[in-house]
Amino acid sequence: MSTTTINATALFDWVKMVFEHHGFPVDDAHQAASVLLSADLRGIDSHGVARLSGYLRLIDKKRINPRPSMSIIHETPSTATMDADAGIGLVSAPAAMKIAIEKAKNVGSGWVAIQNSNHFGIAAYHAMMALEHDMIGFAVTNASPLVSPTFGAERMLGTNPICFAAPALNQPPFVLDMATSAASNGKLEIAERANKSIPEGWLMDAQGNSSHNPSELKQGGMLLTLGSDAEHGSYKGYGLSAVVDILSGVLSGANYGPWVPPFVAFLDPREDQPGKGIGHFVGAWRIDGFRPAAAFKENMDHWIQRFRETSPQSSDNPVLIPGDKEREQQAEREIHGIPLVESVWNDLQSISKQCGLPLVNQ
Amino acid sequence: MSTTTINATALFDWVKMVFEHHGFPVDDAHQAASVLLSADLRGIDSHGVARLSGYLRLIDKKRINPRPSMSIIHETPSTATMDADAGIGLVSAPAAMKIAIEKAKNVGSGWVAIQNSNHFGIAAYHAMMALEHDMIGFAVTNASPLVSPTFGAERMLGTNPICFAAPALNQPPFVLDMATSAASNGKLEIAERANKSIPEGWLMDAQGNSSHNPSELKQGGMLLTLGSDAEHGSYKGYGLSAVVDILSGVLSGANYGPWVPPFVAFLDPREDQPGKGIGHFVGAWRIDGFRPAAAFKENMDHWIQRFRETSPQSSDNPVLIPGDKEREQQAEREIHGIPLVESVWNDLQSISKQCGLPLVNQ
């Protein structure tokens, strides 16, 4: 497959310019570009610049507000709710996380629910903001419905990711960032591009039959929850996805379940919405609210080392620590650039043309 | 299979008496019996009175302290760490949850990590304590190692459960209480008693090969994490189990990973322990720290109703809400009593005999 490799800094500068061109204040454009590029750097290609043209279409449709007045509409010393004023989650979630971190500094933990928002990129960016403060970070979001609960044959939940990030001392941080579906949308896209069938347990077609064809998702199909079937605990994946939906949607006053607005501009949100926009939920625990941070981080090093030494099933396939793959990808891409598949590269070129902006430097 | 059915109140009184006989203060015996019986009532038979003889053996071995002096060793307005003084989790976890709820009343949320504890029964009991206060409850615990991480062939994690409980208005509460393994230990015990083979994706034998024989777990076998294999996201189940271990063990200063002390008295804890006892982590978010509780609970009713109406794969198998099965079981057992399988009933009779206590009333 033909790919075009772009220097990460050049891509960042270009993305920032595109957001500014679409009305974002400079700081917000910087923030949004940072979150987007962090996905491309970490190898989560489905959540990086591949999303940019979709965001721009939502701005054109006035579903994403490029200059929102975000406000805190409810608050206690350790909690708050933010109204993101239809802004993009790439900006609202980091702003909320900053508030959560301040609250954690003051009272030990901080939690911010966000309503009236839009797609927030990768959860890991937001949760990882806690790390440099010796805090544990947490970030979840609901998402447009693509996933069926156990025993169901209807799109009721998003891939509703959970991120949990904890710092270590000499070891890299522990960063779990996972969709609560068995397979992510991104994995299906990769299979579709490669014209490959997908394993049993990822997808149903629109009629609720098991499907091995990744294209079925675009034809009304449904992703399965983590666990894939009831015998293997799919009700747990459903339950976790529901928890994400309750924290992000119900607790914030955003939409939830099948009412979460679609990410694509060509589908309109439902008219009978029970809440406002998409919801997120972010937070931080201050480690020394529980024990000295140095002691915790020493034990995290010990934990990580011991788990790396787990007796493996096969000596060429060692046990990994959550975050290992993404960190290795980032180290590689910071040096060698970000490979963009042809469709994404074409997308970026079209954006330049449409906006009358220079092409991104190769 | 022969079962003996016991009235729940009679069983509660008897269990309380047994704990008192073993040196528990009256209030602690009451609390411990409440947690144990809540498991039997909710149909989580593996975590109810079936565990009692095991607890008593740990008391005899002085690994469970029946009269602990529990203390808060670290604190902020929204966080605390409790040293349970080798007490049982059936008592320490509700005590910690009360503190978390008080903190949530004061500052919006409360989180308590517990070190130096022992088995805490079902996570749902603790998390559900939040419900009557219009709070969302959270409870996790680590557990003795039985589960291998993805790509591993070594017992490194417990079945490390996660419970999340949120109240509704007219609907029953949402209560997700799940092991982070593909199948719980209890499910293997049921298969073993029935002499049935188990599905692919639950268990490996001691050599790391896939196994369909539930007895292999007692012969050095290993449970698989939720997702079962890497292709179906077992690294997510591993990651979630690790999060539970980090919150319960590393953050509290308890043991973690393969060092978590075994639940059985015939196995001694490792000598090179990095922490103290078993760890738990409990907490509560006050709903009106985010939005008015009435509005949240109305939306929860709406959420629950809509999910119940999910188009089903088969009309005789509707989509359930987490907690439905356990609540129905409880309603049934409160009226008709708790059925005990022969081995458990024999166990209780032996306890009576050994302690010179009356038999539980049938």
Side-chain angles (χ1 to χ4, degrees), chain B residues 36-300:
Chain B
L36 220 53
L37 261 290
S38 76
D40 285 309
L41 283 168
R42 292 172 69 79
I44 319 297
D45 299 346
S46 55
H47 284 58
V49 293
R51 292 263 180 180
L52 184 59
S53 64
Y55 294 148
L56 302 183
R57 284 189 289 273
L58 288 170
I59 295 171
D60 288 344
K61 277 210 134 184
K62 304 205 184 306
R63 281 178 51 196
I64 289 179
N65 178 0
R67 300 187 87 85
S69 300
M70 298 182 183
S71 56
I72 295 295
I73 57 175
H74 206 97
E75 194 167 16
T76 74
S78 81
T79 66
T81 300
M82 172 187 279
D83 182 331
D85 192 24
I88 198 163
L90 304 178
V91 176
S92 67
M97 194 65 190
K98 278 181 199 155
I99 294 169
I101 288 167
E102 276 310 302
K103 288 179 179 292
K105 280 184 192 163
N106 292 332
V107 296
S109 74
W111 305 94
V112 182
I114 308 160
Q115 61 162 237
N116 203 5
S117 189
N118 282 284
H119 196 262
F120 84 174
I122 52 167
Y125 182 94
H126 315 302
M128 289 176 75
M129 287 173 64
L131 296 174
E132 64 181 296
H133 303 281
D134 281 350
M135 296 182 185
I136 292 172
F138 181 77
V140 298
T141 184
N142 63 14
S144 25
L146 281 178
V147 179
S148 178
T150 305
F151 304 141
E154 185 179 357
R155 293 173 165 188
M156 294 291 283
L157 293 156
T159 52
N160 295 3
I162 297 175
C163 183
F164 174 97
L169 192 63
N170 299 311
Q171 291 286 337
F174 174 105
V175 182
L176 175 71
D177 185 8
M178 55 169 268
T180 49
S181 48
S184 62
N185 205 342
K187 282 203 176 160
L188 269 78
E189 285 169 9
I190 291 168
E192 198 176 7
R193 274 202 297 270
N195 212 7
K196 281 192 179 157
S197 72
I198 53 171
E200 183 77 21
W202 286 15
L203 188 68
M204 290 188 294
D205 66 18
Q207 286 70 47
N209 305 307
S210 173
S211 170
H212 297 257
N213 174 5
S215 307
E216 293 277 9
L217 186 59
K218 291 180 182 153
Q219 295 154 33
M222 289 156 272
L223 291 168
L224 297 168
T225 60
L226 177 59
S228 294
D229 58 36
E231 195 169 68
H232 295 86
S234 66
Y235 50 87
K236 300 178 184 185
Y238 156 40
L240 290 166
S241 183
V243 167
V244 171
D245 198 33
I246 290 168
L247 288 174
S248 304
V250 185
L251 191 59
S252 72
N255 290 296
Y256 42 80
W259 290 279
V260 177
F263 288 142
V264 288
F266 63 84
L267 289 177
D268 287 327
R270 293 183 183 220
E271 296 204 342
D272 57 343
Q273 299 205 331
K276 285 174 151 185
I278 281 171
H280 324 301
F281 186 81
V282 299
W285 286 289
R286 203 176 83 210
I287 289 164
D288 72 3
F290 297 94
R291 65 186 295 213
F296 173 87
K297 292 199 286 185
E298 264 172 44
N299 277 170
M300 279 305 298

Side-chain angles (χ1 to χ4, degrees), chain A residues 74 78-79 81 107 153-154 181 187 200 232 235-236 238 245 250 256 288-291 302 306 311 320, chain B residues 74 78-79 81 107 153-154 181 187 200 232 235-236 238 250 256 288-291 302-303 306 311 320:
Chain A
H74 206 96
S78 80
T79 66
T81 299
V107 295
E154 185 179 357
S181 49
K187 281 202 175 161
E200 182 78 20
H232 295 87
Y235 50 87
K236 300 178 184 185
Y238 156 40
D245 198 34
V250 186
Y256 42 79
D288 72 3
F290 298 94
R291 65 186 296 215
H302 183 226
R306 180 64 188 85
S311 173
L320 301 175
Chain B
H74 206 97
S78 81
T79 66
T81 300
V107 296
E154 185 179 357
S181 48
K187 282 203 176 160
E200 183 77 21
H232 295 86
Y235 50 87
K236 300 178 184 185
Y238 156 40
V250 185
Y256 42 80
D288 72 3
F290 297 94
R291 65 186 295 213
H302 183 226
W303 191 100
R306 181 65 187 87
S311 173
L320 301 175

Side-chain angles (χ1 to χ4, degrees), chain A residues 304-360:
Chain A
I304 290 168
Q305 280 158 355
R306 180 64 188 85
F307 274 77
R308 284 202 200 290
E309 288 161 9
T310 303
S311 173
Q313 288 184 299
S314 142
S315 58
D316 53 0
N317 215 11
V319 168
L320 301 175
I321 307 301
D324 276 356
K325 276 195 174 173
E326 295 86 350
R327 194 183 60 256
E328 283 163 20
Q329 192 72 261
Q330 177 155 358
E332 157 82 17
R333 290 183 170 191
E334 276 174 352
I335 295 170
H336 299 292
I338 294 169
L340 302 174
V341 297
E342 201 174 350
S343 59
V344 173
W345 178 232
N346 289 342
D347 233 24
L348 303 194
Q349 289 175 302
S350 303
I351 291 169
S352 282
K353 210 173 286 176
Q354 281 164 25
C355 305
L357 293 172
L359 275 177
V360 54

Side-chain angles (χ1 to χ4, degrees), chain A residues 62 175 190 309:
Chain A
K62 305 206 184 304
V175 183
I190 291 167
E309 288 161 9

Side-chain angles (χ1 to χ4, degrees), chain A residues 69-85:
Chain A
S69 300
M70 298 183 185
S71 56
I72 295 296
I73 56 174
H74 206 96
E75 194 166 18
T76 73
S78 80
T79 66
T81 299
M82 171 187 278
D83 182 331
D85 192 26

